[in-house]
Amino acid sequence: MILYSYRFSPKCRSILAVAHHTGIDLELRETDLPSGDQRHPSFLAINPNGKVPVLIDNTLVLSEANAILQYLANRATSPLWPADAAPQAEVLKWLSWQLTELAPVVDPVVYFGLITTMHSGSGTGTGKMPRPDPGKLEADLNIAAEILDKHLSGRDFLVADALTIADFAVLACLTNIEFAGATLAQFPNLTRWRNARSEEEAWRATIPPLEIGVEFGG
């Protein structure tokens, strides 16, 4: 299998972690997003969305990180993708929630906390993107974090009592919160879960060369 990835992309890291956990070997094709590799015609022929990750397995060309996570776990017949319908549905619920509720509030925090700070000292934003109210960004993030915190009360994992691809997907989404100057320390259950899952051998094995990962269209 070939994976087009970017080493600082949390989404790509989640896939690398699942591949490591399941023992699947991936041939990595590094895509330099800041240099615009994702806009090259040869890459757009693979993924017209111009984003990583993209997995190629024989004739299958698969984009979207969570779909790739599910495919890898299925291919490996791994308990990361449960065998029964009910926990499968729970995993899909959290994968969907990560995309529709968590990522939309995390991404602006990371973007404006890292990118804008590095490129503009004026605090007005970057290019044509005005900086949102920091208080609103924090409030929106805290709403999602509180949902996670309540769900994780008395739990070690998001679904049932076992590690699944949902844990990797949500953990990856939260990767850069502290680097962006935000904190989730006020949510004890979420913090406990993040600390424990960050010690998973597969997660530690996929730490990028620099412990900072900013996605440029990834």
Side-chain angles (χ1 to χ4, degrees):
M1 295 187 206
I2 297 172
L3 180 69
Y4 287 83
S5 66
Y6 176 55
R7 68 185 67 188
F8 300 127
S9 164
K11 294 176 184 177
C12 292
R13 185 181 177 187
S14 70
I15 292 168
L16 294 175
V18 166
H20 184 92
H21 185 89
T22 57
I24 292 177
D25 290 326
L26 296 176
E27 178 185 333
L28 298 183
R29 302 280 178 89
E30 179 71 9
T31 307
D32 191 348
L33 302 186
S35 296
D37 285 358
Q38 73 277 22
R39 296 188 293 273
H40 193 276
S42 61
F43 185 86
L44 291 174
I46 299 170
N47 184 9
N49 294 309
K51 295 182 178 182
V52 293
V54 180
L55 181 77
I56 298 180
D57 185 18
N58 294 318
T59 59
L60 174 69
V61 180
L62 188 61
S63 59
E64 302 302 328
N66 289 351
I68 296 172
L69 293 179
Q70 182 181 351
Y71 179 74
L72 292 179
N74 258 321
R75 275 291 304 267
T77 319
S78 168
L80 289 179
W81 176 249
D84 295 333
Q88 283 180 2
E90 285 287 308
V91 169
L92 286 174
K93 180 190 77 172
W94 285 108
L95 293 178
S96 300
W97 183 84
Q98 180 259 317
L99 289 174
T100 61
E101 303 295 333
L102 185 61
V105 297
V106 168
D107 291 350
V109 170
V110 172
Y111 180 86
F112 288 102
L114 288 175
I115 303 298
T116 307
T117 299
M118 289 189 289
H119 290 280
S120 173
S122 65
T124 58
T126 300
K128 297 181 180 180
M129 292 187 68
R131 182 192 289 271
D133 175 15
K136 185 178 187 309
L137 290 181
E138 181 181 0
D140 291 345
L141 175 63
N142 286 346
I143 290 172
E146 185 173 4
I147 291 171
L148 271 175
D149 192 67
K150 289 180 177 178
H151 175 74
L152 289 165
S153 178
R155 297 172 181 263
D156 292 326
F157 305 98
L158 285 173
V159 176
D161 194 28
L163 183 69
T164 68
I165 58 174
D167 292 289
F168 283 114
V170 173
L171 182 64
C173 191
L174 297 171
T175 297
N176 291 318
I177 287 294
E178 284 74 23
F179 289 114
T183 180
L184 297 174
Q186 67 272 38
F187 301 101
N189 300 314
L190 175 55
T191 298
R192 171 183 51 78
W193 172 83
R194 288 183 73 198
N195 289 340
R197 301 290 66 79
S198 294
E199 290 299 316
E200 297 285 352
E201 195 275 332
W203 189 252
R204 294 183 61 81
T206 55
I207 296 174
L210 296 175
E211 291 206 18
I212 184 168
V214 182
E215 294 196 52
F216 298 84

